[in-house]
Amino acid sequence: MTPAALPDDDAACLRDAAEFVRDHETDTLLRLLLPGLDGPETRALTDRCRFSHAALLVFPEDPDALRRDLAACGLAIDAEPQPSVVVRARLAARYRRDPADLDVRILRPEVLGLDGNRRMVEVFALTTPPDSDLRAIAALERWERNEAHVAFEVDWPDPLVLHGLRSILARHGATPDGGGYNPHEDGTVFYYAAPADSKAGYRRMELFVRGDHQDVLDVHLAEHRAGQAGNTLLTLFTGAWTTQALAAFAELRIPDAMSAHAGTDTATLAQVTGTHPDRLARLLRYLAALGIVTGHRNGFRLTEAGALLREDGQYSMRPLALMYGGPFYESFSDLAHTVRTGQEAFEHRFGENHFAHFAGRPELADLFQRSMAASSRMFDPVPDHPVFARAAARRVVVDVAGGNGELLARILTAHPHLRGTLLEQPHVVESARRTMRDADCAERCDYVSGGFADVPSGGDVYVLSRVLHDWEDDRCHEILGACSRAMAADADLLVVERVLADHGPAALATAWDLHMMCNVGGRERGLGHYQRLFAAAGLELVATSPLPLDATLMHVRKSSGLS
């Protein structure tokens, strides 16, 4: 059987929208949207605009089959889909995505109303393949219905008329909610949030006007931006709540229970997890707004992002949730102390530095090592680097401060001709031994217990993964100097870090820079900064390669003429 382009939830929403368009007329719909309208105001609006369509955003897996699925919902269409400039821009801004990554198209199947007038269902379609990272966006948009609206087309595209219509809407509590000009259709869109007492079932409405009305649009968008400032701050203030909601979700092992009991209602899930049914439902509702779970006819189910919080899942990020919701969460409450004094907030909060604190507490040390391994997806391309494939010359890989050995185990597994040496503190070495045993690499790995002054010589490839960002420049000079002295003239050094961009939107490295400052006294750096550190140790950057999770692999060798 040919797979459907649309998930069941989207198809049901399409059928509901078609029924809504059939059943409503301009004047009755306006009274539902704006309950306070009086007779003269209703006539002023109905004389100048008419109900044209109801809109929704759907997420087909296969855009070529979308027409068939629309037909199955009673919505036939002949015209080719057009690009959606406005909705694409709104999604890009909402999720900080490049608009070029969001191919949003518009289709407008006709619906014959009960009053005999032809209207449309406006379908915005964002293609979302099964393995796409857009699926988390799709889950959140289905829950929030940010792009669902009812629209009125203005028949008198005169600036004075537009200002008059906007005044009536504002008087009855409709507030500007964005908009724009679509050159593909030569039309200007004015979005509004419906007033709180609206009874239409749609939270947003649109005025569509033929032509480019930039002056009126500028006023509309300025009002929208002014109203958004407070909402933006309130959303940012709740970031701490998000961290704790994710930590609680992981701590209570709710993702594991949801995976094992797919389709279970919330009451049963609460019984399985030993939680309070009402409180659990409210937590899940909040997590649905974050795209971690999605609402389902039988309760909630995990999204791809939520599945990463399962304890037994590949690349499980549960340890990160517990770490960021635990000791690191506490330390960030003293961020102002760090900014004021330069001292790490972690040390101020716990009375000792991050490394000493974890070393003296085995359970925290284990959680920290597992949290580091939770980001190991960034290592996936590293074993493919050409320095490892030179079997005749490349024999020993030295992983400096290699943690639990996750990266070194991957390298040795991919290249059976290699041996490994892992340098780490004594309390971490045992964890690395377990990793090597599990990877069946124990016979090809040696261990050196010690610090950076103990970097062993004789390696063909040296690895520094997420080490330099723990330290300020003076300590990095010592670490790189020790590596340089241990390296032969033809040895290679691979450095894995998040690199600050010189320009463009803020990336994960920007957030991690604050994290390093607050917790360990280190920092993230730009590429030029790293090049200066390498040069001071007699090293030079040969090439860079992008890695997952916003990381970068830097290939470094000894500077020409040095040995």
Side-chain angles (χ1 to χ4, degrees), residues 185-502:
E185 300 178 324
D186 187 29
T188 303
V189 172
F190 301 85
Y191 285 127
Y192 285 87
D197 59 352
S198 173
K199 298 177 176 58
Y202 283 81
R203 295 179 299 166
R204 298 177 63 245
M205 61 183 294
E206 169 197 313
L207 292 182
F208 178 82
V209 191
R210 296 289 174 187
D212 185 355
H213 300 272
Q214 193 62 50
D215 290 346
V216 183
L217 182 62
D218 286 344
V219 175
H220 178 82
L221 293 178
E223 293 175 359
H224 171 58
R225 287 190 295 271
Q228 286 296 100
N231 287 343
T232 298
L233 274 178
L234 282 174
T235 300
L236 293 173
F237 289 154
T238 65
W241 306 348
T242 297
T243 302
Q244 288 301 323
L246 292 170
F249 189 54
E251 179 184 342
L252 296 168
R253 291 184 168 81
I254 299 169
D256 302 270
M258 292 179 72
S259 179
H261 301 82
T264 302
D265 62 85
T266 306
T268 304
L269 187 63
Q271 186 176 13
V272 170
T273 56
T275 56
H276 188 284
D278 174 69
R279 272 44 172 186
L280 175 60
R282 290 158 68 178
L283 172 64
L284 293 173
R285 183 174 61 193
Y286 180 73
L287 293 172
L290 301 176
I292 302 302
V293 301
T294 182
H296 190 257
R297 64 179 65 90
N298 295 323
F300 294 90
R301 59 187 175 189
L302 292 171
T303 64
E304 287 184 54
L308 290 174
L309 293 173
R310 288 167 39 200
E311 187 169 30
D312 62 348
Q314 186 181 24
Y315 303 128
S316 170
M317 300 183 83
R318 182 177 185 270
L320 278 173
L322 299 179
M323 185 64 70
Y324 293 150
F328 289 153
Y329 186 88
E330 290 187 53
S331 66
F332 257 96
S333 66
D334 281 344
L335 178 60
H337 174 82
T338 293
V339 176
R340 183 172 55 250
T341 67
Q343 181 188 13
E344 295 94 84
F346 193 101
E347 184 170 340
H348 181 66
R349 166 67 56 164
F350 294 103
E352 56 187 344
N353 70 48
H354 160 280
F355 298 106
H357 187 76
F358 286 179
R361 293 162 178 79
E363 73 287 352
L364 273 183
D366 178 65
L367 178 60
F368 176 70
Q369 291 301 326
R370 287 189 289 118
S371 72
M372 293 289 286
S375 298
S376 63
R377 186 164 66 89
M378 70 171 58
F379 298 153
D380 285 354
V382 175
D384 295 330
H385 198 281
V387 298
F388 299 118
R390 303 169 193 163
R394 305 303 182 195
R395 298 179 303 279
V396 178
V397 179
V398 179
D399 195 351
V400 179
N404 73 344
E406 171 72 22
L407 176 55
L408 184 57
R410 286 170 177 249
I411 295 169
L412 297 183
T413 299
H415 301 280
H417 68 281
L418 294 177
R419 287 195 61 84
T421 299
L422 186 136
L423 169 66
E424 252 302 353
Q425 295 293 319
H427 70 279
V428 181
V429 166
E430 187 53 43
S431 174
R433 290 183 188 275
R434 289 196 299 271
T435 300
M436 292 300 167
R437 285 196 296 269
D438 291 343
D440 201 24
C441 296
E443 298 297 320
R444 291 188 288 128
C445 189
D446 301 311
Y447 306 90
V448 177
S449 295
F452 294 117
D454 304 305
V455 176
S457 59
D460 299 291
V461 181
Y462 287 77
V463 177
L464 276 173
S465 174
R466 298 182 293 178
V467 172
L468 297 179
H469 74 162
D470 286 338
W471 309 99
E472 284 289 4
D473 286 1
D474 55 351
R475 186 63 162 146
C476 288
H477 287 308
E478 296 175 11
I479 297 168
L480 290 169
C483 291
S484 182
R485 289 188 295 272
M487 291 167 62
D490 61 346
D492 295 283
L493 171 64
L494 298 182
V495 179
V496 176
E497 295 288 356
R498 288 192 172 97
V499 176
L500 288 169
D502 293 330

